[in-house]
Amino acid sequence: MFELNMKKIFFLFLISFLFIRNTVAKADEKLSTKQNLDSDYYQRNVKPIFESRCMACHSCYNAPCQLNLQTYEGFERGGVNKNIYDGLRLKSVDPTRMFIDAKNTEEWRKKGFHSVNNSTKSSENILMEVLRIRRDKPDYKMLSSIEGATTCPKEIEDTKILGIKNPELGMPFGFPPLNDREFKIIEEWIEKGAPHSVVKLDLDQEILAEKTRWEEFLNQDNLKQKLVSRYLYEHLFLAHLYFPKNHQQFFTLVRSKNKCNKTIDEIASRRPNDSPGGNPFYYCLKSIDHPVVYKTHMPFELNNKKLEFWRELFFASEKWDIDKLPDYSPEVAQNPFVAYAAIPGKIKYQFLLSDAQFHIMTFIKGPVCNGTNAVNSIQEQFYTFFLAPNSDPMSDHKHQLESQTLLTLPGSYGSDVEVTSIPSISSKITELREEYRKLRLAWLKQHKPKGLGLEDIWDGDKINDNAVLTIFRHNDNAVVMKGAVGNLSKTLFVLDYSLFERLVYNLVVNFDVFGNVGHQLLTRVYMDFIRMEAEENFLLFISPEKRQHYRQSWYQGVFTEAKMKYIFPEISKGEATSMKYKGSEQLKTQFVNQVLSGFTDKVRGEGDSLNWRNVKPEGIKMASLSDDEKLLKKITSIKSMGKLPFARYFPETSYLILRKENKIKEVYSLIHNREFQNISWIIAEKFRRAPHEDTLTLKKGFWISYPELIFDIDEKKLSQFVEDIREIENIFDYPKFEDKYKVSANDPKFWQVWDDLHQHMRTHSELEFGFLDLTRYLR
């Protein structure tokens, strides 16, 4: 009996052991599976939170502490207490561009970046602590701007002290804290070691074939192609390139040490026109595998039509040849009129004109994520037209060769310009530019003896809608729209090839955001010259006796008038114009009306019914207004004076969301156009304001990178919204209006509105979609 019981016990023990072992094995299997899932946890759960809650401030160069959360690699890189936009540094600094200036985390540590993911223990983790600070004190009074949030603690002890002394610096800065679900997702991820799976992008075979075709075109081994490819690269390196097959897969054009069919090894030069080194290199299309942000998103389509156009333009339209490639010395590479002297000016101009909006956007949005001080050297809203290629002095090869050394650009002096040398360099550049102005005027006298007329304005070749553009500048960032948008602008630009190319090279190709104060100041000074020349081009279309009147209206003030007299003297007082005007008044209005009337519908688009008041071209089809827009027209393009001064009190950029049954019906960009007595100086802008001339412009869609406010209203309340605006009489009335309609930064529903806004953008502006920036939002 005892032996039998022992057998039963042993048998039961064996069964139990096998059961337990099997259970443990299954648990291990589940755990293993869970670990495998965890490797994708970032992509599924964390990345969407970074995109919707963190990237609004932590993307590109203007991210606080340079903590860039567009990619896992940016999170891993961490932060550094260095401000890229330091406009007072005496020495240039090393570039810190993601994926370019360091290849891995170890290299970033050597450059001074510290981890924000320092511990798997939530209470000891820097990232979790700054998120926790905001959750602990969600109603704490905020600073007015994120630019005040530049403290970058390296240790958890410093982070906790920060939470006690400066709780306003908790994240998200100035906005509602992450909710319980979002916080828990990130906390769980951190506690598991922040696992990350590498997502390999498998390109569609058709896209891969297109990519290869374009790379073969750019890397042909003959001197003419090498020069053209170099030119194309310097103009397209900021573009988000895409193919017709997929409007959401973007590429960037880079110079690689390796062939394009191998792993791309991007050459980390400070500028695109710096030497790539002595070894062979290749122009390659590198896929953009991270979410894009609107402030740097400039889509550019590569298609069959574009390729054939460039082949015809550069290699068949005109005869030219080259026996030696230009070198990369500063005096050559930084001056496109020297480096590309072999390519006829008319060809290069037609290349720029064909995609004028994009090329102007490169220096308006800028290569640096955040507009530089050079951007405040333009008016806040102005129309831009272009001189016709056949009327451009640079279409004359002899004139181009005579001009090239006169068009020296600040970039030729490098990223470190001694402050004490700025006066002498500026004087030299000014003298050369004055010689060029005289040379250009002499050419026009010879070839246009009756003066410039309507036929000398580029008409888009009857089909290209880049022929008239409107620039809107908001503080230190801006946007470019096709068409004459908004009411008649205070000034007008007429760009020719020399101005267009100098804009690109001064503000984009040659500009180094990591450069010193001297480099940045020279860039701003030269932008002043370009603006005045572009305005002067317009004045050549105005009756001679009225030119001084317009010029004086743009440059008011004793010091400014003196500057204009000695730095930019008037040299075209008596030159004729072949434009025909009715009487001697409102010549600017007449000019715009005549030019727009002469364009085809395809080129000029529909008239801006919502904002035009002075602009009334003949024969143009006007956009039809919805009932909502008929109400909104009551607040557009009304100068801020007399009984309706409301425009001057609005923030520079806002989004107006109209809802119907709680769903977004339409989104408008609400733009405050500030006016100035002059914009001739880099400082003291507020002392040169002319607020009585301010206006508001409304444009359907997404035209603002940095919204300062969001107004979110039901369409049934739109009429009252408009009337409340018109009743704003002073600085005390506006806050009451704002409190009634704005989505406050600390409103519990803020993130829902923010998500709705982005979803609407994805749906209605898929190609242009990019995450918006909240660093300017009023707190």
Side-chain angles (χ1 to χ4, degrees):
M1 178 70 71
F2 176 78
E3 183 177 315
L4 183 62
N5 289 338
M6 286 298 293
K7 286 182 179 179
K8 288 183 178 179
I9 292 171
F10 176 77
F11 181 76
L12 290 173
F13 174 81
L14 181 62
I15 293 296
S16 299
F17 171 77
L18 292 173
F19 175 80
I20 292 170
R21 188 179 70 170
N22 186 52
T23 302
V24 170
K26 288 183 177 180
D28 286 340
E29 183 179 339
K30 286 182 179 180
L31 183 60
S32 175
T33 303
K34 188 174 182 182
Q35 290 294 333
N36 290 334
L37 288 176
D38 283 348
S39 67
D40 296 326
Y41 192 87
Y42 169 79
Q43 295 290 339
R44 292 195 322 272
N45 300 305
V46 179
K47 184 170 174 279
I49 298 174
F50 279 179
E51 289 178 359
S52 61
R53 300 293 179 266
C54 306
M55 267 174 45
C57 296
H58 288 279
S59 60
C60 207
Y61 297 149
N62 66 333
C65 304
Q66 295 188 48
L67 176 60
N68 190 322
L69 297 178
Q70 281 179 274
T71 62
Y72 178 84
E73 291 79 4
F75 163 75
E76 201 172 41
R77 177 179 77 163
V80 65
N81 194 9
K82 293 180 182 178
N83 178 16
I84 288 178
Y85 301 109
D86 180 4
L88 297 177
R89 58 175 168 252
L90 297 178
K91 295 293 181 183
S92 63
V93 295
D94 290 337
T96 52
R97 298 164 295 184
M98 282 296 304
F99 304 111
I100 298 175
D101 298 310
K103 303 299 183 183
N104 52 52
T105 305
E106 182 181 353
E107 290 184 12
W108 285 121
R109 294 290 174 266
K110 292 178 181 178
K111 290 180 179 289
F113 282 78
H114 63 269
S115 176
V116 296
N117 180 34
N118 57 307
S119 174
T120 56
K121 190 175 181 181
S122 175
S123 61
E124 298 299 315
N125 186 278
I126 292 174
L127 176 66
M128 295 310 303
E129 185 62 22
V130 294
L131 295 175
R132 193 177 288 108
I133 289 170
R134 187 77 182 107
R135 283 167 60 86
D136 289 345
K137 296 187 177 181
D139 299 322
Y140 197 90
K141 184 179 179 181
M142 291 294 111
L143 300 174
S144 61
S145 169
I146 200 167
E147 276 130 20
T150 55
T151 304
C152 309
K154 295 181 180 180
E155 307 292 339
I156 187 61
E157 292 80 8
D158 296 332
T159 311
K160 291 183 176 181
I161 292 172
L162 177 73
I164 297 171
K165 292 185 175 181
N166 302 97
E168 73 274 8
L169 299 183
M171 298 294 147
F173 176 78
F175 296 99
L178 298 187
N179 61 35
D180 291 343
R181 173 186 165 276
E182 293 163 339
F183 185 85
K184 202 65 184 172
I185 285 174
I186 295 180
E187 185 175 50
E188 183 178 2
W189 179 61
I190 291 292
E191 289 176 341
K192 290 178 180 177
H196 170 248
S197 59
V198 177
V199 178
K200 185 178 179 181
L201 183 67
D202 292 323
L203 295 177
D204 180 278
Q205 287 300 310
E206 189 173 333
I207 290 180
L208 190 59
E210 282 293 291
K211 175 180 178 294
T212 302
R213 187 162 71 106
W214 277 90
E215 289 169 342
E216 289 174 350
F217 164 71
L218 291 166
N219 290 296
Q220 293 178 61
D221 193 20
N222 64 77
L223 292 184
K224 287 183 72 172
Q225 180 66 59
K226 285 178 180 290
L227 187 65
V228 168
S229 294
R230 175 173 164 178
Y231 183 78
L232 292 175
Y233 166 68
E234 290 177 9
H235 289 79
L236 295 175
F237 76 100
L238 287 178
H240 287 172
L241 304 164
Y242 68 97
F243 301 111
K245 172 76 175 179
N246 188 337
H247 289 186
Q248 291 301 296
Q249 176 55 61
F250 297 105
F251 299 84
T252 181
L253 184 60
V254 303
R255 297 185 297 186
S256 172
K257 296 176 184 177
N258 297 334
K259 289 187 177 181
C260 304
N261 59 358
K262 298 181 179 180
T263 301
I264 292 175
D265 186 3
E266 185 172 354
I267 296 171
S269 59
R270 290 182 81 98
R271 299 179 180 84
N273 54 350
D274 285 344
S275 173
N279 298 319
F281 69 92
Y282 307 89
Y283 296 104
C284 301
L285 295 174
K286 181 181 178 181
S287 61
I288 298 174
D289 301 331
H290 57 75
V292 297
V293 289
Y294 186 64
K295 60 193 170 191
T296 60
H297 185 41
M298 291 174 277
F300 189 99
E301 186 176 50
L302 298 178
N303 53 42
N304 292 336
K305 185 177 179 181
K306 183 78 66 182
L307 184 57
E308 292 309 310
F309 171 66
W310 286 354
R311 280 175 170 159
E312 169 68 24
L313 178 65
F314 284 103
F315 303 109
S317 63
E318 289 191 38
K319 290 185 178 180
W320 64 280
D321 213 340
I322 181 175
D323 55 15
K324 183 182 178 182
L325 290 172
D327 61 39
Y328 283 93
S329 60
E331 59 271 17
V332 174
Q334 310 293 330
N335 187 334
F337 306 102
V338 174
Y340 303 105
I343 305 176
K346 187 177 178 181
I347 289 177
K348 291 175 288 189
Y349 190 29
Q350 288 176 317
F351 164 76
L352 293 173
L353 288 176
S354 64
D355 293 287
Q357 184 196 32
F358 166 79
H359 292 296
I360 290 182
M361 186 70 82
T362 60
F363 53 82
I364 288 297
K365 279 196 170 184
V368 296
C369 318
N370 182 14
T372 64
N373 285 331
V375 178
N376 77 355
S377 63
I378 57 176
Q379 297 283 354
E380 296 223 337
Q381 179 246 347
F382 59 94
Y383 300 160
T384 297
F385 299 98
F386 303 91
L387 204 63
N390 289 332
S391 303
D392 194 306
M394 284 289 186
S395 63
D396 183 335
H397 194 62
K398 179 175 179 290
H399 176 85
Q400 181 181 224
L401 293 177
E402 291 174 342
S403 304
Q404 61 183 18
T405 56
L406 302 178
L407 298 174
T408 299
L409 293 160
S412 301
Y413 296 92
S415 299
D416 282 295
V417 179
E418 292 293 337
V419 176
T420 55
S421 67
I422 291 177
S424 62
I425 295 175
S426 182
S427 177
K428 182 180 179 180
I429 291 177
T430 301
E431 289 175 8
L432 292 172
R433 190 212 66 231
E434 285 303 297
E435 285 187 47
Y436 173 71
R437 286 178 70 205
K438 293 172 184 176
L439 182 66
R440 182 184 181 283
L441 190 61
W443 189 93
L444 288 173
K445 284 182 178 180
Q446 180 183 352
H447 294 84
K448 297 286 180 179
K450 294 183 180 180
L452 295 172
L454 200 57
E455 69 281 2
D456 298 305
I457 294 292
W458 182 54
D459 65 356
D461 302 321
K462 310 298 183 185
I463 57 171
N464 193 321
D465 61 358
N466 284 272
V468 53
L469 304 173
T470 305
I471 288 87
F472 287 89
R473 190 260 292 188
H474 329 298
N475 190 14
D476 59 1
N477 64 96
V479 69
V480 186
M481 303 180 189
K482 289 181 178 179
V485 182
N487 200 28
L488 184 67
S489 55
K490 187 173 185 176
T491 63
L492 297 178
F493 274 18
V494 174
L495 295 179
D496 57 25
Y497 169 63
S498 83
L499 284 170
F500 205 159
E501 198 75 279
R502 280 183 282 162
L503 276 166
V504 172
Y505 275 81
N506 184 51
L507 296 181
V508 183
V509 183
N510 289 349
F511 182 70
D512 182 8
V513 69
F514 302 97
N516 79 335
V517 60
H519 169 73
Q520 298 189 35
L521 185 57
L522 276 182
T523 301
R524 169 60 167 82
V525 169
Y526 200 83
M527 181 57 209
D528 250 357
F529 297 158
I530 292 175
R531 182 197 67 246
M532 292 185 283
E533 286 185 62
E535 291 170 343
E536 182 178 59
N537 275 357
F538 159 64
L539 291 178
L540 289 173
F541 289 86
I542 295 295
S543 301
E545 66 274 9
K546 285 293 183 178
R547 290 172 189 163
Q548 186 65 12
H549 162 74
Y550 282 108
R551 186 168 146 130
Q552 287 177 341
S553 70
W554 301 334
Y555 297 96
Q556 301 174 38
V558 175
F559 293 110
T560 302
E561 289 174 4
K563 176 184 175 181
M564 293 295 292
K565 181 177 180 179
Y566 295 106
I567 302 297
F568 198 83
E570 190 174 11
I571 64 172
S572 58
K573 290 182 180 179
E575 305 310 314
T577 177
S578 59
M579 293 289 296
K580 305 299 180 185
Y581 293 109
K582 297 178 181 179
S584 59
E585 301 301 320
Q586 298 184 325
L587 300 190
K588 180 174 63 174
T589 305
Q590 291 189 56
F591 171 82
V592 170
N593 286 337
Q594 286 188 56
V595 172
L596 293 179
S597 294
F599 288 171
T600 64
D601 288 341
K602 191 169 185 178
V603 170
R604 69 193 168 201
E606 291 183 321
D608 186 2
S609 307
L610 186 54
N611 297 288
W612 281 359
R613 294 188 186 274
N614 302 84
V615 183
K616 298 177 181 178
E618 295 180 4
I620 190 170
K621 181 182 178 182
M622 299 298 290
S624 58
L625 294 180
S626 65
D627 290 341
D628 293 336
E629 290 167 340
K630 289 174 184 177
L631 289 172
L632 290 170
K633 188 172 177 62
K634 294 181 180 181
I635 61 172
T636 60
S637 305
I638 297 174
K639 287 194 174 183
S640 181
M641 58 177 66
K643 296 181 179 180
L644 295 171
F646 56 83
R648 70 176 71 179
Y649 304 114
F650 273 76
E652 289 193 62
T653 54
S654 311
Y655 276 116
L656 171 60
I657 297 175
L658 289 183
R659 292 186 185 267
K660 183 176 182 179
E661 296 176 355
N662 206 35
K663 294 183 179 180
I664 293 183
K665 176 183 179 183
E666 196 56 79
V667 174
Y668 291 88
S669 297
L670 178 57
I671 300 170
H672 173 190
N673 307 306
R674 300 180 305 161
E675 297 293 354
F676 300 86
Q677 294 175 344
N678 67 76
I679 47 172
S680 293
W681 311 96
I682 196 170
I683 59 174
E685 187 175 78
K686 66 180 180 180
F687 297 111
R688 292 176 280 113
R689 287 275 284 112
H692 59 284
E693 298 179 8
D694 290 6
T695 58
L696 297 180
T697 296
L698 273 163
K699 175 74 171 175
K700 186 184 293 185
F702 294 84
W703 299 99
I704 297 167
S705 300
Y706 298 85
E708 294 179 52
L709 274 184
I710 296 172
F711 298 104
D712 187 6
I713 63 173
D714 188 276
E715 64 170 354
K716 295 177 182 178
K717 297 180 179 179
L718 181 60
S719 178
Q720 187 61 54
F721 174 81
V722 170
E723 290 308 309
D724 286 349
I725 289 176
R726 290 173 62 89
E727 290 177 8
I728 297 172
E729 296 182 356
N730 53 55
I731 196 172
F732 303 106
D733 290 340
Y734 176 75
K736 301 173 189 174
F737 161 81
E738 190 179 273
D739 288 342
K740 184 176 179 181
Y741 294 105
K742 74 177 180 181
V743 181
S744 174
N746 59 3
D747 189 322
K749 71 174 184 179
F750 178 85
W751 290 122
Q752 183 57 58
V753 174
W754 188 244
D755 292 342
D756 290 350
L757 192 65
H758 281 92
Q759 184 55 48
H760 190 80
M761 190 180 187
R762 282 186 189 276
T763 304
H764 295 85
S765 304
E766 182 185 26
L767 176 62
E768 291 79 19
F769 175 82
F771 288 93
L772 303 174
D773 191 291
L774 282 174
T775 55
R776 309 288 172 79
Y777 205 85
L778 299 177
R779 291 157 172 82

